[in-house]
Amino acid sequence: MSVVDVGRLADLQNTRHSVTLSNGKRLVLFRLPKIDRSEAVAQSMSRSPDAWSYYAMEAECPHAGGPMTEAHIDIEDSSYIASCPWHAYDFNVETGESSYGIKACTFPVTLHDGRVSIHIAEAEDLQLAKIEPVSEKVKFKHGPRVELSGSLTYLGEDASLCEWCVHVLNTSNPEHKIELTTHLFSSFATREQSSSPMQIGAGIITPPQEPPRQNLTQVKPGQMPKAGKGGNLKSRIMMLHALANIEQWAIDLAIDIMVRFASFQTNAPNEDDTSKQLPRTFFYDWLKVANDEAKHFSLLRARLEELGSHFGALPVHHGLWESATRTSHDLRARISVIALVHEARGLDVNPLTIEKFRNAGDGESVDVLNIIHNDEITHVTTGHRWLTWICQQEGTDPVQVFRSSVQKHFKGAVKGPFNAEARRQAGMDKSYYEDLHGQPWKGEVIAGG
């Protein structure tokens, strides 16, 4: 038995930390709000006096090695469930048990004299090698949230998710959009654990045809100035600005998919079957994506300012929203084109972009881009998971549904080179994207979304 001291309770304020032990084994330490239960608390978790509970489990999913540091957290039967971002295998964070019949290793956590320790039964004399917070940071332009410029309006406690989504979509101030998005995700997730979860509000409000933008010069995608290869500061600023524009649209795309398709029902495959509504986990997953995109936009916008520029200094395009408009009638098409073409293309080009910045010695931008790349693998996974769920309910083949949607509603060819490993991690093998063409188009495929 090893009892590994991982640090002071006061220093472990993130929702999750990556823990590396002296033998190289990696764990994830979760810090989650307490769940009120009458039954005894399992030993693999420890409650602190400050309304938080602590759990530890192995950092690699036992199914295919996915990063449990990026797991989606839900509550089922008064227990926290961590779902792997690669293939959605679910694990009880206390017991490690999964509905798929496999089990993850979990480890008891104890709190004593203001310090946190993890108990490892199968090894002696282990020590902490490294502990790192998993990035959740959002950089607000004006420091603390209370200092945001302009008038920021929060909706009341009775507002539904769809009303919140339309409010975010109609917010043109990018700083306010960041704040409202992160607030909405936090509020929705917190209330999921309570007796008064946020109402979805399907069908009670209509999203805008296109979210407004503030003080931006719009051009067609093909008219964007060429950014170059990142060898000088001007080139890198142009690349970061283009990425920031994509991430701001990505916030709206994740928000829009919830309100626009809130009333979606699957097609019953047989007369004896019934249609199904979208479960609440659909909305949680896309809120998590929106929260990530707000984080990405905030990091890129802040990095532009650190380099002496600002978001809005260069023209931008609305190409991603054009794809959203073409798929506004069908959730299957929306997921296929936005998540599994545009965002998957980001998985292909991100490593090349990161290498350009690394060669230029811009380590701070590399750190930002690495955060974005790792998160975007999970976003493609989210799209793949929900397209697969719809197809399972409808008795259809997700590969064929995807390819048919792209052929009808996407402009251009799905061209390589492909990051086959990142796509595989997200659930997309080559049968999805090889030899696939949409409608005739001469422009480049927009990466990200």
Side-chain angles (χ1 to χ4, degrees):
M1 164 74 74
S2 294
V3 180
V4 181
D5 186 323
V6 296
R8 296 194 315 139
L9 185 65
D11 294 333
L12 302 176
Q13 296 298 304
N14 273 48
T15 301
R16 55 195 82 190
H17 288 78
S18 175
V19 176
T20 304
L21 303 178
S22 54
N23 64 351
K25 184 176 182 64
R26 293 179 61 250
L27 313 178
V28 54
L29 176 68
F30 292 107
R31 174 181 180 266
L32 300 170
K34 290 179 181 176
I35 302 175
D36 290 329
R37 291 175 294 182
S38 58
E39 62 266 27
V41 179
Q43 287 188 341
S44 58
M45 170 270 280
S46 185
R47 294 188 174 197
S48 73
D50 62 351
W52 297 95
S53 300
Y54 294 78
Y55 310 81
M57 67 187 303
E58 59 183 318
E60 285 78 35
C61 174
H63 167 237
M68 296 306 293
T69 52
E70 304 295 336
H72 298 275
I73 302 296
D74 299 297
I75 295 179
E76 294 180 9
D77 298 327
S78 298
S79 295
Y80 281 113
I81 303 297
S83 297
C84 175
W86 285 7
H87 305 108
Y89 274 62
D90 56 341
F91 302 93
N92 184 301
V93 296
E94 297 178 35
T95 66
E97 294 177 348
S98 171
S99 64
Y100 289 88
I102 61 177
K103 191 171 183 179
C105 293
T106 58
F107 306 92
V109 179
T110 56
L111 310 177
H112 183 67
D113 290 338
R115 300 194 69 83
V116 181
S117 297
I118 301 175
H119 296 242
I120 314 293
E122 67 269 20
E124 299 288 340
D125 302 320
L126 289 179
Q127 296 179 344
L128 178 68
K130 182 171 60 175
I131 182 168
E132 295 179 311
V134 177
S135 175
E136 299 164 337
K137 59 185 178 180
V138 171
K139 289 189 176 181
F140 292 96
K141 184 173 183 179
H142 303 285
R145 298 182 180 191
V146 295
E147 297 180 11
L148 285 171
S149 62
S151 175
L152 177 61
T153 302
Y154 293 90
L155 301 185
E157 286 292 316
D158 294 335
S160 68
L161 173 64
C162 286
E163 288 172 313
W164 266 106
C165 287
V166 171
H167 184 46
V168 174
L169 289 170
N170 283 326
T171 297
S172 61
N173 184 313
E175 300 304 316
H176 293 180
K177 190 181 290 287
I178 293 171
E179 162 63 15
L180 292 172
T181 301
T182 57
H183 173 84
L184 174 57
F185 174 64
S186 176
S187 178
F188 185 90
T190 300
R191 289 179 61 178
E192 284 295 275
Q193 307 157 19
S194 73
S195 59
S196 57
M198 185 180 293
Q199 295 298 309
I200 300 301
I204 67 173
I205 193 168
T206 302
Q209 289 188 343
E210 181 174 309
R213 289 293 183 258
Q214 185 181 73
N215 301 326
L216 295 178
T217 302
Q218 178 187 356
V219 298
K220 293 292 185 181
Q223 297 173 351
M224 288 289 293
K226 299 298 183 182
K229 298 182 178 181
N232 55 55
L233 179 60
K234 179 181 178 182
S235 175
R236 295 198 301 277
I237 286 174
M238 293 176 70
M239 295 168 74
L240 292 174
H241 195 280
L243 290 171
N245 175 56
I246 289 171
E247 296 298 337
Q248 187 179 17
W249 281 113
I251 300 171
D252 288 327
L253 290 166
I255 294 291
D256 183 80
I257 199 173
M258 291 181 286
V259 59
R260 191 171 300 277
F261 299 103
S263 299
F264 175 87
Q265 291 188 331
T266 60
N267 296 322
N270 302 300
E271 291 184 1
D272 296 335
D273 295 322
T274 58
S275 299
K276 289 189 177 181
Q277 297 179 334
L278 294 169
R280 293 184 68 88
T281 48
F282 172 89
F283 301 97
Y284 177 90
D285 279 0
W286 289 105
L287 271 177
K288 175 62 168 62
V289 172
N291 189 72
D292 286 348
E293 306 294 15
K295 174 181 70 176
H296 299 168
F297 176 70
S298 75
L299 294 172
L300 289 165
R301 189 263 300 119
R303 185 64 188 140
L304 284 169
E305 294 174 0
E306 291 165 358
L307 294 175
S309 186
H310 65 276
F311 184 66
L314 298 170
V316 298
H317 65 78
H318 294 193
L320 280 176
W321 196 259
E322 292 174 7
S323 287
T325 300
R326 289 194 295 272
T327 57
S328 62
H329 64 291
D330 183 0
L331 178 57
R332 305 164 197 79
R334 171 64 67 86
I335 293 174
S336 296
V337 171
I338 297 298
L340 303 185
V341 175
H342 285 298
E343 187 131 27
R345 184 58 181 159
L347 304 185
D348 303 331
V349 304
N350 286 343
L352 302 176
T353 304
I354 291 169
E355 190 62 24
K356 291 178 181 178
F357 279 82
R358 182 176 287 113
N359 290 339
D362 190 347
E364 290 183 309
S365 294
V366 168
D367 291 341
V368 169
L369 296 174
N370 274 322
I371 291 171
I372 292 172
H373 179 65
N374 291 331
D375 284 347
E376 288 186 347
I377 294 176
T378 72
H379 299 174
V380 178
T381 302
T382 297
H384 178 266
R385 175 164 61 251
W386 285 108
L387 181 64
T388 300
W389 181 86
I390 293 170
C391 292
Q392 287 175 340
Q393 312 312 312
E394 298 181 336
T396 55
D397 179 1
V399 174
Q400 293 305 315
V401 170
F402 166 75
R403 294 180 70 91
S404 176
S405 295
V406 172
Q407 289 164 356
K408 293 177 182 177
H409 306 296
F410 178 69
K411 287 187 176 181
V414 180
K415 297 186 295 185
F418 300 111
N419 185 342
E421 174 59 22
R423 286 172 174 255
R424 184 193 64 79
Q425 291 176 10
M428 297 181 71
D429 60 33
K430 293 181 179 180
S431 66
Y432 278 87
Y433 52 85
E434 283 194 335
D435 300 320
L436 180 59
H437 296 266
Q439 299 299 308
W441 175 251
K442 294 183 180 179
E444 291 295 319
V445 175
I446 300 170

